Amino acid sequence: MELETAFAVIAGVLVVSALAAGLVERAPLSFPMLFLGLGFLIGDRGLELISIGLDNQVLTVVAVVALALVLFLDAVNLELTELRRDWLAPFLVLGPSTLLVAGLLAGAAVLLLDFPAVLALLLGTVLASTDPVVLRDVVRDTRLPRSVRQTLRVEAGTNDIVVLPVLLVLIAITHADLGGPTEWLIFLGQLFVLGPAAGFAVGAAGSWTMGWIDQRFPIRREYQSVYGIGLVLGAYVAGEAVGGDGFLAAFAAGLAVTALNQTLCDCFLDFGQVIAEMTMLLAFVLFGALLSTMLGTIPLLPALALAVLGIFVIRPVVVRSVLRVGRAGLSRYARQFIGWFGPRGLNSLLFALLVVEEGVRGGEELLAVVGLVVLVSVVAHGATATPFSGWYARKARQETLAEERASTAAELFTHAPDDVPRVTPAELAKRLAAPHPPLVLDVRSRSEYERDGVRIPGSVRVLPDQVAEWAADRLRDQPFVLYCT
């Protein structure tokens, strides 16, 4: 790709994403749909403006930067989404669903595409990853219960850490160049110990150094933003340098920031998120151009059958079953909603490209099949995000849903205590008439609040699933009373 062409593609991504943002939020449309379509349009099977091959260095660089940033931010966001203490329950429930989906997809690949067992397992593993880009509009829709949005965010942010190690081990098995137990122990040690340890060290030392220097010689926010990007790339390089995996190292670097209670400037989190999204959208364009030349190399009908089976049957059934077994406090609407929104997207394409770059036999066919599944998923999930979210929001306005009582994903898997202190109406009236009255928070469910016209004078309306977030910086010493359903 020539320099001018590369700049033109980048310019197109930036301009189109800005101009189309309002339309995408309101229409049954998503950015991945838009930019994959743009890639097909300008690729070799369209206007022939760009030509992308599997050995294209621009695609490789964009893919590495996008995935490293996503993994690092996912790890850092574990703290921001209040999962530092309560991550275990949702992780244990959602982790098995990822492995079950991978196994069932692998079986389908053997039956429908006649893939060898290991290649089928690679395909199932790659397609078990859910995409945070396609989910972005869903998890930002504040009409939906916060616990459900966070459950989807947790799954999209953690299942890559289930998928990636399995993927790397399967790639090593295909090479068959690790003969004895000693070689395997060395490989696994580099993969799961040295690489993550190097990334963890970069994240811990880097975030601590920035905090220490900033306290003594204040650093401008724009430089702190750039510094965070440097940490991500530094962690990736450190992981590769010790013989491990750079992506696991990038995740470990973000985990170090969370686990050690270090802080990075919120300016970096905002800036990093923007850079990650723009990089991912650029990657969608490049992958669209690449896939336009690859889809004709695979048996179309069996691949479409795999896509339909994985998206419309396997994922929804597995996730709903796991949530039921895990005794999550969810309504049937929430189970249907979470079960449906498991989109395949950029992460699956990046993992498939990794398989190709590692020289796995049949890797190109695997990438083409993954590309077709991603296309079906991007269209199906992108077109249903707005109407399905609206349907679920209407259900929440019509009746009280169990998930509205939880503020976090973890609370869905734990039982709330029954010994909550209660205040009678007469006692509340007496307290409100005292010199230092408590603040009354009206935290009734959406449906109950709209149906009942009774309001306590001076009360503050807060959605029940957003109480903890709202009160974090407001109710430090002030007494309060909750008016609930």
Side-chain angles (χ1 to χ4, degrees):
M1 184 188 300
E2 296 181 355
L3 183 62
E4 293 82 358
T5 304
F7 282 161
V9 173
I10 295 172
V13 169
L14 297 174
V15 170
V16 172
S17 60
L19 294 178
L23 176 63
V24 168
E25 289 179 0
R26 293 167 177 80
L29 189 66
S30 70
F31 279 118
M33 288 173 62
L34 193 62
F35 287 103
L36 272 175
L38 179 60
F40 272 84
L41 177 65
I42 64 178
D44 286 333
R45 297 297 175 86
L47 300 177
E48 299 182 353
L49 298 179
I50 64 173
S51 181
I52 300 293
L54 288 171
D55 58 348
N56 188 280
Q57 290 300 309
V58 174
L59 176 61
T60 301
V61 170
V62 170
V64 168
V65 172
L67 186 54
L69 268 173
V70 167
L71 291 171
F72 182 89
L73 290 171
D74 284 344
V76 172
N77 284 335
L78 290 178
E79 180 179 25
L80 300 181
T81 53
E82 301 165 5
L83 290 174
R84 289 191 67 239
R85 294 172 298 175
D86 301 323
W87 61 273
L88 186 59
F91 182 80
L92 290 178
V93 172
L94 297 174
S97 70
T98 300
L99 297 176
L100 281 171
V101 168
L104 291 173
L105 283 170
V110 172
L111 295 175
L112 295 172
L113 299 170
D114 199 26
F115 271 19
V118 177
L119 189 64
L121 285 171
L122 279 168
L123 178 65
T125 302
V126 167
L127 289 176
S129 174
T130 56
D131 192 270
V133 182
V134 181
L135 280 173
R136 181 186 60 177
D137 293 335
V138 174
V139 300
R140 292 178 179 177
D141 191 340
T142 56
R143 298 176 303 168
L144 310 179
R146 186 173 185 268
S147 56
V148 170
R149 290 185 284 122
Q150 194 187 50
T151 299
L152 290 170
R153 190 184 295 115
V154 169
E155 183 186 11
T158 59
N159 73 349
D160 286 341
I161 303 307
V162 177
V163 166
L164 185 54
V166 176
L167 182 67
L168 295 172
V169 171
L170 288 172
I171 289 173
I173 291 174
T174 63
H175 290 323
D177 55 0
L178 299 174
T182 303
E183 288 82 0
W184 271 102
L185 285 175
I186 293 173
F187 167 73
L188 294 175
Q190 289 176 322
L191 182 63
F192 296 119
V193 179
L194 286 181
F200 194 92
V202 170
S207 56
W208 179 86
T209 301
M210 170 56 75
W212 187 83
I213 293 179
D214 187 44
Q215 287 180 351
R216 289 156 179 79
F217 309 100
I219 300 173
R220 291 171 59 177
R221 292 170 61 84
E222 53 266 35
Y223 289 108
Q224 294 195 44
S225 300
V226 176
Y227 182 84
I229 302 295
L231 277 187
V232 179
L233 300 180
Y236 177 87
V237 172
E240 293 287 332
V242 298
D245 178 73
F247 297 119
L248 287 179
F251 183 84
L255 196 61
V257 177
T258 297
L260 301 179
N261 203 26
Q262 299 292 323
T263 57
L264 288 173
C265 176
D266 58 352
C267 56
F268 159 68
L269 300 177
D270 294 338
F271 178 68
Q273 190 65 47
V274 170
I275 293 296
E277 289 191 12
M278 291 300 102
T279 306
M280 287 187 286
L281 294 180
L282 176 59
F284 272 120
V285 174
L286 299 179
F287 272 114
L290 174 64
L291 293 173
S292 68
T293 63
M294 296 186 66
L295 294 183
T297 64
I298 57 173
L300 192 58
L301 289 180
L304 277 174
L306 177 70
V308 171
L309 188 63
I311 295 169
F312 294 91
V313 180
I314 292 177
R315 153 78 190 192
V317 171
V318 166
V319 171
R320 274 186 275 178
S321 300
V322 168
L323 290 174
R324 188 177 296 278
V325 171
R327 297 186 177 182
L330 294 164
S331 66
R332 68 179 186 277
Y333 309 121
R335 289 192 179 93
Q336 292 171 0
F337 192 80
I338 295 171
W340 169 243
F341 280 108
R344 276 67 177 173
L346 183 60
N347 287 5
S348 293
L349 292 171
L350 296 175
F351 289 147
L353 182 62
L354 179 62
V355 172
V356 174
E357 291 183 342
E358 291 293 331
V360 174
R361 188 174 181 180
E364 294 187 15
E365 184 179 3
L366 181 146
L367 175 58
V369 172
V370 169
L372 182 62
V373 176
V374 168
L375 284 173
V376 174
S377 175
V378 163
V379 172
H381 291 108
T384 57
T386 298
F388 204 1
S389 296
W391 167 81
Y392 184 32
R394 286 194 297 275
K395 292 297 182 182
R397 290 197 303 268
Q398 293 168 1
E399 58 184 285
T400 298
L401 306 179
E403 57 271 17
E404 290 186 82
R405 297 185 174 93
S407 296
T408 67
E411 291 178 12
L412 294 173
F413 302 92
T414 58
H415 298 286
D418 295 326
D419 56 347
V420 178
R422 297 182 180 275
V423 178
T424 65
E427 184 179 353
L428 176 59
K430 183 178 179 180
R431 291 188 185 184
L432 290 175
H436 301 288
L439 177 64
V440 178
L441 301 182
D442 192 332
V443 296
R444 288 176 291 174
S445 65
R446 294 161 174 82
S447 60
E448 185 66 22
Y449 183 81
E450 293 185 7
R451 184 165 48 246
D452 186 359
V454 175
R455 305 286 187 267
I456 297 177
S459 63
V460 177
R461 169 62 175 162
V462 182
L463 291 175
D465 50 313
Q466 297 176 9
V467 174
E469 183 180 27
W470 183 90
D473 298 321
R474 292 180 172 91
L475 299 178
R476 295 187 181 276
D477 300 314
Q478 183 178 6
F480 61 93
V481 175
L482 302 179
Y483 177 26
C484 59
T485 301

